[in-house]
Amino acid sequence: MSEMEPCSRLSTAPVELKFYGDFEITTNLKSVEEFSPKQLILLESILGPPDVKLQLARMALETDLNSLTDSHFRDRYSGPSVRDLLDIVLPCLQPVEQSYWESLRDGSGDTLHNEIMPVFFVFDVRLKRTGIEEMGT
């Protein structure tokens, strides 16, 4: 009996797939009663421009992808830092409000985190439909 050598017929060329999804962005306003006046102003400013709401929704989705999947998306996505969130929302605010939030950025401890994260968590991103298709060759 002779020992057989393994033979691989698998292609080493990468397969390009496109993953897509349709998402619905909603706001969960249950916790707004507990917001400070500054948090309410921040939320109202975010709700105006659709591009800011979309950026926050993307960050919420990336946070979910990182926490809900094990192997495929591990270390591909991460939740936003409070500084990332602040950079997105500052342009929506009036100068006096910008000063307040910037002062929190420069402050010590978790003050900025404790103030901005509840506003971020008001946004729910729900997956409506997904699909995978092969990219054109």
Side-chain angles (χ1 to χ4, degrees), residues 58-97:
R58 179 188 53 80
M59 289 179 165
L61 177 62
E62 288 179 355
T63 301
D64 287 347
L65 283 173
N66 188 53
S67 64
L68 296 176
T69 60
D70 188 29
S71 59
H72 294 296
F73 295 118
R74 179 164 307 281
D75 300 325
R76 298 279 183 193
Y77 298 103
S78 63
S81 73
V82 292
R83 295 181 189 287
D84 294 337
L85 291 172
L86 191 58
D87 289 341
I88 289 172
V89 299
L90 275 178
C92 302
L93 297 168
Q94 296 295 324
V96 67
E97 298 300 328

Side-chain angles (χ1 to χ4, degrees), residues 99-119:
S99 297
Y100 169 77
W101 289 96
E102 286 175 336
S103 72
L104 294 182
R105 179 196 320 237
D106 300 332
S108 61
D110 292 332
T111 306
L112 176 60
H113 180 273
N114 294 338
E115 288 294 305
I116 204 168
M117 291 311 286
V119 177

Side-chain angles (χ1 to χ4, degrees), residues 4-17:
M4 297 182 79
E5 291 185 31
C7 176
S8 174
R9 293 185 182 174
L10 298 176
S11 171
T12 57
V15 175
E16 292 187 31
L17 301 173

